[in-house]
Amino acid sequence: MNIGKAIKKIRTENGMSQEDFSQIFYVTRQTVSNWENGKSYPDLNTIVKISDRFGVSLDRLLREDLDMINDISEKTASGIKWNRLRRTVFTVISVIVIFLLITLTVYGIIWISRKNSLEKNFSQNVYSLGFAESPERYYILQQNDETYVLPHQEMPSFWDFSTDFHAKYLDCRFSTEQYDFNIRISGDMYSLDITDNTSQQIYYLRLDSSGNITPAPAYDSDLPGFKEKYSAEISQVLQNGIYIYNTAYGKRTV
């Protein structure tokens, strides 16, 4: 006897209609009809409830119903596989989350330590060099006819994932009657802007670490005698600037 026939026998022996039977187990009358006709099976929890409600052994309900047993076995196996998959996914996600939390915590400790030391050292170095902060939050140092300008520096935000200042540079400025010079030092990069106060023409040039203009000047025809007249001063200001830059940014102590 399969389970459908067993359910029908239990129902009729107790003088119940399909509607009466369905109400006990909170299903529809059509569901009970499908059970009895073998179109579907009750789940294992409902089978246990039928057994308890009518005092019928599970052995009697399930005996010889191989399709039902196989269906329950497949569902049970699928449930076990699904539970294993969920546990595996949960474990993987948990490991990733824990790893990220640990990584962010370690990075946060490094970032805070780096921020405090970097900003403190920069401030100390700048003031030890004699810089004064302007209302625009630039640091300015005046030496003879030369002006050195540093930006106000702060560590980038935590989420920039950087442990150094974004833009480290120093501007070295000096002027003659005809020209305004600005040498920018940024790491190992050196550039020179020359403004001709008469024509307002601006020349953008590059320097090597010795103050030599590179590549070979193509402006000799516009600025005759410029190289001979100003190269020594450009070189001297650049050397002063390199020392100030390295000291301010902690590459050299004062």
Side-chain angles (χ1 to χ4, degrees):
M1 180 184 296
N2 63 36
I3 193 166
K5 292 179 181 179
I7 289 173
K8 184 175 182 179
K9 188 172 186 301
I10 291 169
R11 178 178 63 77
T12 55
E13 285 178 350
N14 286 273
M16 301 175 68
S17 66
Q18 288 182 339
E19 185 68 32
D20 296 333
F21 196 85
S22 67
Q23 292 177 2
I24 296 175
F25 301 103
Y26 303 102
V27 296
T28 64
R29 185 205 63 78
Q30 185 61 46
T31 298
V32 174
S33 175
N34 288 339
W35 290 347
E36 293 181 354
N37 294 323
K39 294 181 179 179
S40 63
Y41 299 107
D43 58 40
L44 190 57
N45 186 47
T46 302
I47 294 173
V48 173
K49 288 180 179 179
I50 294 172
S51 173
D52 292 342
R53 177 69 173 74
F54 296 104
V56 179
S57 68
L58 288 173
D59 179 65
R60 176 184 169 189
L61 286 172
L62 299 176
R63 184 180 301 166
E64 297 181 6
D65 198 334
L66 296 179
D67 290 339
M68 173 64 186
I69 294 172
N70 290 335
D71 184 67
I72 292 175
S73 298
E74 289 176 2
K75 289 180 178 178
T76 301
S78 297
I80 292 172
K81 290 179 180 178
W82 173 242
N83 287 334
R84 287 176 179 171
L85 178 61
R86 284 195 301 179
R87 285 197 297 270
T88 301
V89 171
F90 177 77
T91 300
V92 170
I93 293 174
S94 297
V95 169
I96 292 173
V97 170
I98 292 171
F99 174 78
L100 289 175
L101 288 175
I102 292 173
T103 301
L104 286 175
T105 300
V106 172
Y107 171 73
I109 294 171
I110 294 172
W111 183 84
I112 291 172
S113 175
R114 178 68 173 166
K115 173 181 172 65
N116 292 337
S117 64
L118 200 63
E119 292 179 357
K120 179 181 178 181
N121 290 339
F122 178 77
S123 179
Q124 289 177 343
N125 293 338
V126 164
Y127 286 117
S128 69
L129 285 164
F131 279 84
E133 189 171 8
S134 71
E136 296 81 14
R137 301 196 76 190
Y138 283 92
Y139 295 102
I140 298 176
L141 173 64
Q142 193 75 39
Q143 287 186 348
N144 302 321
D145 295 328
E146 303 157 13
T147 302
Y148 299 90
V149 181
L150 281 165
H152 182 87
Q153 292 286 15
E154 292 180 351
M155 270 275 285
S157 73
F158 179 88
W159 297 108
D160 282 350
F161 296 105
S162 174
T163 56
D164 202 354
F165 300 137
H166 271 331
K168 298 195 291 188
Y169 65 87
L170 168 71
D171 285 333
C172 314
R173 300 168 183 170
F174 66 98
S175 300
T176 64
E177 185 176 343
Q178 184 174 357
Y179 301 110
D180 290 332
F181 298 85
N182 184 70
I183 299 174
R184 171 157 290 194
I185 301 172
S186 180
D188 296 327
M189 301 286 291
Y190 315 106
S191 61
L192 170 63
D193 300 347
I194 307 169
T195 303
D196 187 330
N197 294 322
T198 302
S199 65
Q200 297 304 309
Q201 175 71 38
I202 301 176
Y203 301 90
Y204 300 98
L205 310 170
R206 301 192 72 172
L207 302 174
D208 62 21
S209 59
S210 297
N212 299 312
I213 297 170
T214 58
Y219 56 86
D220 280 345
S221 59
D222 297 326
L223 300 171
F226 179 88
K227 183 176 180 181
E228 292 76 11
K229 190 172 182 179
Y230 297 107
S231 60
E233 189 170 4
I234 291 171
S235 177
Q236 182 59 53
V237 173
L238 176 62
Q239 296 311 310
N240 292 342
I242 291 174
Y243 173 81
I244 292 171
Y245 177 92
N246 288 338
T247 301
Y249 290 107
K251 294 186 176 181
R252 183 186 305 170
T253 57
V254 179

